[in-house]
Amino acid sequence: MPPELSPIDKAKFVAAKRAAQMVESGMRVGLGTGSTAAWLVRCLGEMVRQDGLHITGVPTSTRTAELAREVGIEVTTLDDAKWLDLTIDGADEFDGRLNLIKGGGGALLQEKIVATASDQMVVIADAGKEVETLGAFPLPIEVIPFGWQTTKALVEETLVSMDVLGRDSTLRRDGDAPFRTDEGNYIIDLHLKRIGNAQHLALAMNQLPGVVENGLFIDICDRVIVGYGDGRVEMRDIETGTVETGQLDFVESDNLFADLSD
């Protein structure tokens, strides 16, 4: 029997399941990273095995690639795929204009490259990820290891002139060592509390020597699918301003629930 899901996991699952319904055979699909995106990969894997869905997935991290292969999804690289029909990914925060903070899982660089190489980006999230103003979640900045302390100082100095409430920054760690991304870079997390002008901040961060990319996704997301613990889902379209609502159940096979550790 599948394990009992928490309300948050149910919300993530129904959002992922609704997004999976958008995927059609023949599509090249960007596969995000994180706990919500992992639900999507499981849902798509079940559609591949049970419904004959044939897609080519472009993962945004090594762990997503491993999960996709495990569930039977054909995996390729962005260089081979060249352009994608759709990318589906999670978010750490999103606002009413569908601007995002991403990178809590450390894959923000690949996630942004894949998302911008797609006809459409869809974010899947539980309702708790929606905020009025971005910034409560720490903003990740990916930096090269060489001279990272100098880069960190430059970031903090630049924040003085930005419309933010906090300016603390910390090097993300993996035990006793610095956390490393798939590209071997470090991540500095910025504890800003509130970001008044996300576009201005994103541009300023990426102009600093040593900064590879930042976790602000501005004008990239086209739709967000919000899941709730009671099975409700809302799909919001930034272009049309429409909101589509629905209700999904949790009756799935044991295989879908085999790995809840992501």
Side-chain angles (χ1 to χ4, degrees):
M1 290 292 292
E4 180 66 25
L5 298 182
S6 69
I8 290 179
D9 278 332
K10 287 180 179 178
K12 293 178 179 181
F13 168 62
V14 295
K17 186 175 180 181
R18 177 63 184 88
Q21 295 171 356
M22 301 175 64
V23 178
E24 302 175 359
S25 280
M27 280 188 169
R28 293 163 295 182
V29 183
L31 304 174
T33 296
S35 58
T36 312
W39 282 115
L40 170 78
V41 174
R42 296 186 186 101
C43 289
L44 290 176
E46 184 156 78
M47 292 167 67
V48 168
R49 296 189 302 272
Q50 296 188 0
D51 304 328
L53 178 72
H54 178 71
I55 60 171
T56 302
V58 175
T60 56
S61 66
T62 54
R63 59 187 180 275
T64 296
E66 291 170 356
L67 178 59
R69 293 188 182 99
E70 287 175 8
V71 300
I73 297 173
E74 179 183 335
V75 170
T76 190
T77 65
L78 183 60
D79 286 334
D80 286 338
K82 295 183 173 60
W83 195 260
L84 308 180
D85 299 288
L86 176 66
T87 287
I88 305 174
D89 203 347
D92 298 304
E93 283 185 348
F94 69 92
D95 66 15
R97 291 180 290 180
L98 304 194
N99 292 320
L100 321 170
I101 286 181
K102 289 179 53 54
L108 62 104
L109 177 57
Q110 289 191 21
E111 288 173 334
K112 190 174 284 190
I113 293 172
V114 169
T116 54
S118 305
D119 287 337
Q120 184 177 184
M121 182 196 186
V122 175
V123 160
I124 49 178
D126 61 271
K129 301 297 175 60
E130 183 173 10
V131 296
E132 184 174 342
T133 304
L134 298 176
F137 191 91
L139 174 64
I141 304 290
E142 185 162 341
V143 303
I144 65 170
F146 176 81
W148 72 266
Q149 294 187 60
T150 299
T151 303
K152 181 173 179 288
L154 287 172
V155 167
E156 292 171 347
E157 181 179 342
T158 302
L159 289 176
V160 173
S161 62
M162 296 290 110
D163 184 8
V164 295
L165 284 184
R167 295 195 295 270
D168 292 337
S169 65
T170 56
L171 178 69
R172 189 178 299 184
R173 307 196 69 83
D174 182 10
D176 294 332
F179 173 89
R180 285 187 179 264
T181 67
D182 280 354
E183 290 74 34
N185 295 320
Y186 292 171
I187 286 183
I188 296 172
D189 289 309
L190 309 184
H191 305 273
L192 307 177
K193 301 179 183 178
R194 183 189 64 82
I195 300 171
N197 189 327
Q199 185 174 30
H200 185 201
L201 178 61
L203 291 172
M205 290 296 102
N206 280 9
Q207 289 175 352
L208 298 175
V211 173
V212 179
E213 190 52 84
N214 69 85
L216 286 166
F217 284 51
I218 310 298
D219 297 329
I220 295 176
C221 177
D222 299 288
R223 296 179 181 179
V224 62
I225 298 177
V226 183
Y228 296 84
D230 60 2
R232 289 180 297 125
V233 288
E234 292 180 355
M235 182 163 65
R236 307 175 192 174
D237 190 314
I238 191 64
E239 292 294 329
T240 64
T242 57
V243 179
E244 174 190 313
T245 61
Q247 183 84 24
L248 296 176
D249 61 45
F250 309 110
V251 180
E252 293 295 321
S253 70
D254 290 349
N255 289 337
L256 193 64
F257 297 85
D259 178 12
L260 300 178
S261 62
D262 292 304

